[in-house]
Each structure stands twice: as C-alpha cells, then as structure tokens.
Amino acid sequence: MLIRRPSDISPSEITPRRCYEGRREFIKLAAAGSVLGAAGLFARGAAAQEKTLGLQKLASVAKSALSTGEPPTAYKHVTSYNNYYEFGTEKDDPARYASRLKLRPWTVAVEGEVMKPRSFGIEELLKFPLEERVYRLRCVEAWSMVIPWIGFEFNRLARLVEPTSKAKFVEFVTALQPETMPGVRLPVLDWPYVEGLRIDEAMHPLTILCVGLYGEVLPNQNGAPVRLVVPWKYGFKSAKSIVRIRFVERQPKIAWEKANPSEYGFYSNVNPNVDHPRWSQSRERRIPDFFARRPTVIFNGYGERVAGLYAGMDLKKLY
Amino acid sequence: MQPSPKTIAALKAAVFALALVPLGELAAGALFFPDWLGANPGEFIDRATGRWTLRLLLITLCVTPLRAITGWNWLLRFRRMLGLFTFFYGVMHLSSYVTFRRVFDAEEIARDIVERPFMTVGFAALVLMIPLAATSTNAMVRRVGARRWQMLHRLVYLIAPLGVLHYWFMVKRDITQPAIYAAILAVLLGYRIVAGLAAAPSARKVSTGQTV
C-alpha cells in the first residue's frame, strides 16, 4: 500500500531555477564585495594616520624647509612603539605606564658655562616660535619612522643664556621620578638618563627642542613635555623629558656609553658602515614594514648638512 | 594512573592543536589583523617564534622529570611530538630572520653567523636539532639502535643551554626574561644531575651482577 506523505520541502523553500543558476554571479559579486571591503580597510588605515590622542593642540606652527617629504609614520605606531626605559624595556611599556609621568610644574634649568644661567618653565618653552619638522628617526635597533615633530632650534634657547668659550659640550639630564617610573627600580641604566652633544652639534639648525608631534603636545611616551631631536643620530641620542641642560667643558658620559662602551659611543651618528657588534646597521625596517629592506643612509640622509661637523674624524673609531 | 589508548590519542590531538595556536595567531595577525603584531611585525614574529622554540624546548625537558616524579610513564608518549614542535618553531624562527630581517641576503646572513656570537650559538642550536628530528621516527630508532639513539638525543643537553645563551646574548640591557628561561633550564638539568647521582650506586650494583 502506498502511503502518501506530504513532502518535507514546501514549494516556497525551493530555490527558483533562475536564482540557483545565477549562483556563480552571486559568488563573483560576493568576492568583489569582499575585495572592496578590504580596500575600504586600507583606506581607513590611511585615514587613521590623522587620528591622534586628542591632546592639547599647538597653535601657529610654521612649516619648515628642513622637513622631509616622506609620508609620516602612523600616529598609532609613533605612540605605541617606544623606547623609554624609565617606564620599562618592552616597546609597549611606555604607552602603558607613561601616563603616570608628572608633567606640572616642569622647569628646565639651563646652567654651566653660560653668562646668564636661568630656568625655563614649560609654559615659556611653549611660547618659542614653533615649527613643524618632519624628520626621519633611525633607532640603533635597525628600525625607522618618519615623525612630524614640533619644536624650535636648540640654538635659540642657547643664545638666550650666552654660552662662554669654555662651553665645548652640552649635557642633557632627563627626569627621574621613581614614584611614577616603574623601570627605574632596576639598574638597567644609570639613572637619571643623561645624553650629550658637542656644542657645534647642539647648535646645528637640525637639532631641535621638541614639544609636540602631529600638531599636538608630546604624548608622555614620546618624552613629554620637552625632548631633544637630533635626526642624524641614533634615536637614543634624542633625550626625552629634559629637566636640566648643562653647558660643559668636558665630554659628558652618556647613559648608553656607561652601560656598554663597546656597543654605544658618544657620537652615535647613523652609519651603515659601522655595525653594532651584535647586528648589522646596513638596513632598516621602516615601521610598519615586515621587511628590513630599506638601506640605511649615512647620517640618516642628513649628510649634506652635517657631514662637515665630522671632517677629518675617523667615524669607525669615534662611533 | 594509566589513561586508555583512546584518552591518550585525544590528549595527543589536543597537544598538537595547542602547539599550533601560536603559529595560527601569527599567521592571522600577518594576514588579517595587523594590530595584533604591532608597529614592527617582522620583529614581533622573530621574537614570538624564538620564545616559543625555547618554551617548547623547556616543556619537552619537563617530560622526564614529571614522569619520574609522578610515575606516569605514558607522559613519555608526548615527548617526541613536543620535541618536533620545538624544532618546527626553531625553523620558523630562522625563516623569519632570513625573510624579514635579512631579506634573503646570503652574505649578511653568513657574516651574522660567523661574526656575532649570539647568532653563532643560536644557529648551532638549530643545526644540532636536525639529527634529533631526523631520527625521531620509530623506524629510525630501530635502525640507529636504542642505545646509540639515546646517546645521540643527549645532544639536547647541549642544545638547550645554547638556545638560552642565544636569547641572553641578544638582549640589549634588561636580562630579566632570559634569566627566567635560564633558571627553569637550570632546575630541569639540575634535577637530572641529582637524580643521576642518586641512581648511580644502585646502577653500579646491577652492573656488577650482570651485563645489561
């Protein structure tokens, strides 16, 4: 006997022939859609470069002819991948902990071999005529960025205190706040972090005291409220969160040189021909590239302006 | 405790899958989620694969002490897989360095290995793992002979310190992390020395009685 049962599939559920025959078109359309979606993601990535932490904006910032035309590294990378050992030795430690840094009151004492020693409150420093300097930054660890710094030439400040003829070097002493800096509990470096330049290096128009980046005041992890930027030297020469500037007669002992003199020298000019003992300096990774495919250029590409400072010096010995 | 063969097979599958998680994370980050790998993705992959090589090496070295302490002989059945994953992540680590850091520049790579001690020891550690990986199959154990196989695989006691040394030499200033790996390795190797010394008198007794 034949038992008639209703079909499991109701007619309304059956895909019409025209529709299922069009499935290839549908797949193509979906593929195109996802490609467009991916393109959209990339476009958003480009736009994200403009997105900042929304810190205090810096007004009336002039452009500079000393800026590079290379595209700046995304703000999120500039502010998330930092070496600021006072907050820890991992790259993300500064972004995580530097918000604790106590920024006010902040004064920078300028002293030593000068006619008019004095200190500058951070408010006074922010009143210097500010310029945007888009510089390449080359870290000794073989990565690099392009950063739109904001600041003024160090020589402007130096002229106000009138260095004497005994001022052969400039020493930069940075903040030491044990209560806000978890990294200084370990003797990783000799705290406070001290950097130094020869007087002619310090007075060079490329050397700036920096108070901001990407149109805003410096994020703490980048060395707020005031730091040095010396674009032809490895990044560690550009001291962060400066509290004291001393004009001195003798070459200062800098933090990394004290820590390991065979690996880090006073000059530390970017130089592809002088390897770090543990790695080659011939190439670099331009953040966020996967590949270290970019050849490193002597003096980080600023040789035309700074090579004269080192005429007759053996850069392999005075690294 | 003796788990059933079924349980062991399931556990093995789980360990296998778990060991692939770090690689999956890196692959997903590289292909789809750039934020996972941060500003310097090439270096992130370098470091992640390096750390996982060392971690898996230490986990592999845990098998023997754990087995002796708990009496769970079945733990031994995971050792080969863990060792092979160590080698696998070591190869990934080298590949990442060759691809991202040196972009296939053979001359630079050769110079690194010859001139830089941290590269020399790291490379040596990986090369020494090759014979261990190559003799990991049952057929190879039979071919080499159990005794010689065991002698050969004692190379791991050289490979592990070389691996930790590689990490130690690489670090710029803060040696906290490599020191942790070194301490764990010291415990694992120290255990073997102590256990060996404790077992030695009885072993001698046996050997006077009969040839083994």
Side-chain angles (χ1 to χ4, degrees):
Chain A
M1 197 172 92
L2 193 72
I3 303 172
R4 285 192 178 270
R5 288 171 52 200
S7 161
D8 287 342
I9 304 164
S10 65
S12 62
E13 283 180 64
I14 297 170
T15 311
R17 188 187 188 109
R18 191 160 46 88
C19 195
Y20 91 75
E21 282 180 341
R23 66 196 185 277
R24 280 163 212 272
E25 269 61 42
F26 173 77
I27 289 166
K28 277 182 203 155
L29 210 68
S34 58
V35 168
L36 279 175
L41 275 178
F42 279 107
R44 249 194 298 160
Q49 289 191 1
E50 312 297 329
K51 213 176 151 208
T52 66
L53 287 170
L55 304 173
Q56 186 198 325
K57 286 251 183 292
L58 290 168
S60 59
V61 176
K63 299 275 170 204
S64 167
L66 294 169
S67 286
T68 170
E70 289 162 80
T73 307
Y75 184 87
K76 65 173 179 187
H77 296 322
V78 172
T79 56
S80 68
Y81 189 78
N82 306 100
N83 279 322
Y84 194 159
Y85 276 21
E86 285 83 341
F87 293 102
T89 54
E90 295 294 323
K91 290 289 181 295
D92 51 359
D93 283 341
R96 198 174 300 158
Y97 302 118
S99 59
R100 302 173 186 175
L101 184 69
K102 194 167 166 269
L103 292 177
R104 296 290 186 277
W106 194 282
T107 54
V108 179
V110 186
E111 57 193 37
E113 305 292 349
V114 293
M115 300 297 284
K116 296 179 177 168
R118 57 168 288 195
S119 32
F120 294 85
I122 186 64
E123 296 76 13
E124 290 170 88
L125 294 176
L126 288 165
K127 281 184 195 136
F128 275 73
L130 300 178
E131 277 181 47
E132 182 180 69
R133 296 278 178 101
V134 186
Y135 283 163
R136 291 176 290 275
L137 171 86
R138 170 62 155 79
C139 179
V140 73
E141 297 163 346
W143 52 265
S144 64
M145 297 184 181
V146 175
I147 305 177
W149 303 109
I150 293 167
F152 54 90
E153 290 178 15
F154 174 76
N155 57 49
R156 281 177 173 272
L157 177 127
R159 270 186 263 132
L160 293 179
V161 296
E162 298 176 26
T164 70
S165 60
K166 277 187 168 172
K168 303 273 171 34
F169 294 91
V170 188
E171 182 180 274
F172 298 88
V173 183
T174 70
L176 175 56
Q177 299 182 355
E179 67 283 7
T180 69
M181 297 173 158
V184 302
R185 277 180 233 140
L186 287 173
V188 175
L189 293 169
D190 186 10
W191 316 113
Y193 189 89
V194 171
E195 252 307 332
L197 295 172
R198 216 168 57 191
I199 188 83
D200 56 344
E201 297 177 323
M203 301 301 272
H204 193 280
L206 282 172
T207 303
I208 61 167
L209 278 177
C210 166
V211 294
L213 58 82
Y214 267 102
E216 301 177 355
V217 297
L218 276 174
N220 292 5
Q221 58 267 39
N222 295 85
V226 56
R227 65 172 294 171
L228 195 64
V229 177
V230 194
W232 71 93
K233 292 173 179 282
Y234 291 122
F236 70 86
K237 292 294 295 179
S238 296
K240 297 184 177 82
S241 309
I242 294 167
V243 295
R244 186 182 303 273
I245 297 171
R246 295 180 62 222
F247 289 79
V248 293
E249 198 172 2
R250 298 273 195 86
Q251 180 175 310
K253 271 270 180 207
I254 63 166
W256 277 103
E257 193 187 8
K258 275 194 262 184
N260 200 338
S262 66
E263 298 190 345
Y264 308 97
F266 176 78
Y267 286 96
S268 291
N269 292 313
V270 173
N271 190 342
N273 309 313
V274 178
D275 282 351
H276 185 283
R278 284 177 289 154
W279 56 85
S280 160
Q281 294 290 27
S282 66
R283 284 168 200 273
E284 65 200 53
R285 285 187 169 112
R286 176 60 56 83
I287 301 296
D289 195 350
F290 276 83
F291 299 93
R293 59 177 130 202
R294 205 182 173 85
T296 290
V297 182
I298 188 150
F299 299 119
N300 204 19
Y302 297 96
E304 209 177 295
R305 294 178 188 279
V306 301
L309 297 172
Y310 309 101
M313 270 175 60
D314 183 351
L315 295 174
K316 288 203 168 154
K317 279 198 186 119
L318 295 165
Y319 52 84
Chain B
M1 185 173 100
Q2 179 58 48
S4 69
K6 246 186 167 170
T7 313
I8 287 192
L11 277 173
K12 271 191 167 179
V15 170
F16 190 94
L18 270 178
L20 283 173
V21 168
L23 181 76
E25 233 181 301
L26 292 176
L31 297 172
F32 308 112
F33 306 103
D35 282 351
W36 289 8
L37 307 187
N40 196 341
E43 183 187 77
F44 189 99
I45 294 173
D46 264 353
R47 298 201 169 167
T49 49
R51 281 180 187 158
W52 277 109
T53 308
L54 281 180
R55 285 173 193 157
L56 282 160
L57 185 55
L58 294 180
I59 293 171
T60 310
L61 285 172
C62 283
V63 170
T64 297
L66 266 182
R67 175 184 163 221
I69 292 164
T70 59
W72 297 347
N73 286 328
W74 52 270
L75 283 174
L76 198 57
R77 300 182 53 184
F78 292 83
R79 194 171 62 179
R80 166 162 56 195
M81 190 199 287
L82 291 167
L84 282 171
F85 267 116
T86 305
F87 180 64
F88 173 73
Y89 275 95
V91 171
M92 289 289 130
H93 183 52
L94 179 73
S95 312
S96 159
Y97 153 80
V98 167
T99 313
F100 302 131
R101 189 166 287 269
R102 287 290 166 255
V103 202
F104 306 103
D105 185 332
E107 202 192 307
E108 282 272 5
I109 292 166
R111 250 167 26 97
D112 273 351
I113 293 169
V114 174
E115 287 177 14
R116 308 186 205 285
F118 95 94
M119 288 294 305
T120 316
V121 294
F123 190 71
L126 189 61
V127 169
L128 288 172
M129 276 192 231
I130 295 171
L132 308 201
T135 56
S136 62
T137 60
N138 288 340
M140 281 305 281
V141 181
R142 271 193 300 275
R143 239 174 89 181
V144 177
R147 209 189 160 84
R148 274 163 64 205
W149 185 91
Q150 202 169 23
M151 291 287 285
L152 177 68
H153 280 248
R154 288 204 175 121
L155 270 178
V156 74
Y157 301 135
L158 177 61
I159 292 165
L162 285 175
V164 172
L165 210 57
H166 168 67
Y167 190 14
W168 195 294
F169 285 171
M170 186 278 290
V171 166
K172 212 164 71 165
R173 193 67 198 152
D174 180 3
I175 48 130
T176 317
Q177 284 290 322
I180 293 169
Y181 285 86
I184 296 170
L185 178 63
V187 169
L188 292 173
L189 296 186
Y191 168 85
R192 287 167 166 83
I193 293 169
V194 172
L197 287 176
S202 57
R204 216 171 293 135
K205 250 180 248 161
V206 173
S207 69
T208 49
Q210 61 194 71
T211 49
V212 183

